[in-house]
Amino acid sequence: RSKAEGRNTYRFFEAKMGEEAKGRRLIEHELRRAVSGGELKLVYQPQIQIDSGEVIGFEALLRWHNRRRGDVPPNVFIPIAEESGLIVELGDWVLLEACREAASWDEPLTVAVNVSAVQLHSQEFPHKVHDVLIRTGLPPHRLELEITETALIKDMNRALAALRQVKSLGVRVAMDDFGTGYSSLSNIRAFPFDVIKIDRSFIKSVDKNEQAAAIVRAVLGLGRGLGLPVMAEGIETSDELRFLTDEYCAAGQGFHLGEPAAIEHFDHIVRTGSRFGKRKAAAAAAS
Ligand code: C2E
Ligand code: MG
Ligand code: MG
Ligand code: MG
């Protein structure tokens, strides 16, 4: 390879990098306007108690629809929002919107809200949570904050202090995507979690894959030993659900039990309770 060729490759690489950075900045700019422009909305995915089949709560998931780009997936725009700091503004919107929605339900179901590391580590976070609970009137125990392990390792002391503060309000905290981050086992003991959510990568084909099954059983044992309920994420088939039922997994979430959708779709559940969920889960388990 000649030197000139190397230089050209480098220039090409530089140009590509420049374009990628430009693309990210453009998304960032559009995302900034999305907040005020009404392009954001929340969808809700049911969370089900496996033994009874009852809906116990909903996870709020952020959606961004841009006129030009169409639907931009969270896996694309959340990281950009985190790097630019815009996630704080987005997160404030999500928290208020989700709590306001949940406060309007007749049934006392939980609403789970994802909190990014940047939000958790900002000094005002616990105060903001308190403020939103006061403003919306949502009882604290009906709010569950979902936090990933990666959010904890940035500054363990700060994270622990923030979690203790929100816990002291009566808010619940969940460890999200368990098993995919670092030093899982020490985190689960050091932080005051109320529930462990096993990442969906371990639930996929858990009924057929011995290794996945071994990991899931280990996490269920861990939960039992620590007195923490475990929720399985990403249940897509009746066989996966049956495995989790047989292993006494407390709760579950996934396309097989209910896809994320506008809250209107779940109106009967939030108005009249989980009888729908019961029937649905029973039917799902039998199918
Ligand atoms: P997460 O918190 O682990 O949320 C679960 C994700 O799995 C959601 O993707 C959901 O739609 C998807 N999912 C649920 N059931 C199934 C299933 O059975 N199969 C498969 N393949 N997927 C399933 P979504 O909505 O695209 O969100 C992706 C991630 O983006 C979330 O993962 C969360 O980390 C982040 N996110 C979403 N909304 C927010 C938010 O408001 N704030 C923050 N900070 N992050 C958010
Ligand atoms: Mg989550
Ligand atoms: Mg998750
Ligand atoms: Mg995730």
Side-chain angles (χ1 to χ4, degrees):
R1 220 157 168 251
S2 73
K3 262 191 181 164
E5 228 179 290
R7 265 199 303 276
N8 282 340
T9 312
Y10 181 71
R11 276 204 200 105
F12 174 71
F13 182 66
E14 234 187 353
K16 247 192 105 180
M17 288 293 287
E19 242 159 57
E20 217 175 278
K22 242 197 265 169
R24 288 172 77 89
R25 271 201 306 275
L26 190 59
I27 292 189
E28 189 190 319
H29 174 74
E30 291 176 351
L31 193 51
R32 210 171 282 280
R33 287 196 312 200
V35 185
S36 50
E39 295 179 16
L40 299 175
K41 65 167 195 193
L42 293 178
V43 289
Y44 293 83
Q45 184 176 34
Q47 301 183 316
I48 281 140
Q49 188 181 320
I50 289 181
D51 60 5
S52 68
E54 279 180 85
V55 176
I56 49 178
F58 288 92
E59 179 174 3
L61 294 159
L62 188 54
R63 293 293 177 262
W64 176 25
H65 182 84
N66 180 263
R67 231 187 323 149
R68 203 166 50 79
R69 291 178 192 273
D71 291 316
V72 187
N75 292 335
V76 170
F77 72 81
I78 296 281
I80 295 176
E82 284 175 337
E83 274 168 41
S84 63
L86 195 57
I87 191 71
V88 173
E89 208 179 319
L90 285 184
D92 288 350
W93 183 86
V94 170
L95 185 67
L96 180 60
E97 190 65 22
C99 290
R100 192 182 275 154
E101 175 55 47
S104 78
W105 300 339
D106 296 327
E107 289 294 309
L109 305 172
T110 304
V111 69
V113 173
N114 293 285
V115 174
S116 105
V118 186
Q119 286 175 275
L120 184 70
H121 289 274
S122 73
Q123 289 298 330
E124 325 83 75
F125 182 69
H127 176 77
K128 276 181 181 168
V129 173
H130 178 69
D131 197 54
V132 165
L133 291 171
I134 300 288
R135 277 175 73 182
T136 60
L138 183 71
H141 68 272
R142 290 187 47 209
L143 174 62
E144 190 165 283
L145 300 174
E146 296 196 357
I147 291 146
T148 61
E149 289 169 82
T150 344
L152 304 176
I153 56 163
K154 231 180 73 177
D155 176 348
M156 294 263 190
N157 292 328
R158 176 71 215 132
L160 185 56
L163 285 191
R164 284 195 177 135
Q165 277 174 282
V166 293
K167 285 277 299 182
S168 75
L169 300 171
V171 168
R172 295 164 52 83
V173 289
M175 173 167 270
D176 203 358
D177 302 349
F178 183 70
T180 59
Y182 304 96
S183 57
S184 321
L185 295 181
S186 48
N187 288 346
I188 208 74
R189 196 174 59 163
F191 293 92
F193 288 103
D194 296 287
V195 55
I196 304 172
K197 297 186 75 179
I198 317 183
D199 190 69
R200 67 179 151 89
S201 55
F202 304 110
I203 304 304
K204 192 170 176 58
S205 306
V206 69
D207 54 299
K208 298 191 207 75
N209 183 318
E210 270 309 314
Q211 276 159 332
I215 292 169
V216 170
R217 284 196 191 98
V219 176
L220 291 170
L222 180 70
R224 226 162 273 138
L226 295 173
L228 289 180
V230 172
M231 179 177 297
E233 298 192 78
I235 304 171
E236 290 186 351
T237 69
S238 55
D239 287 338
E240 290 164 359
L241 179 61
R242 193 166 303 122
F243 175 93
L244 295 161
T245 310
D246 292 346
E247 296 292 334
Y248 301 103
C249 180
Q253 198 179 333
F255 294 166
H256 181 65
L257 297 166
E259 291 190 25
I263 196 65
E264 290 72 33
H265 186 81
F266 301 110
D267 206 48
H268 38 316
I269 297 176
V270 304
R271 294 295 153 230
T272 62
S274 44
R275 271 184 309 161
F276 170 86
K278 242 179 212 164
R279 259 191 283 127
K280 176 138 192 220
S287 70

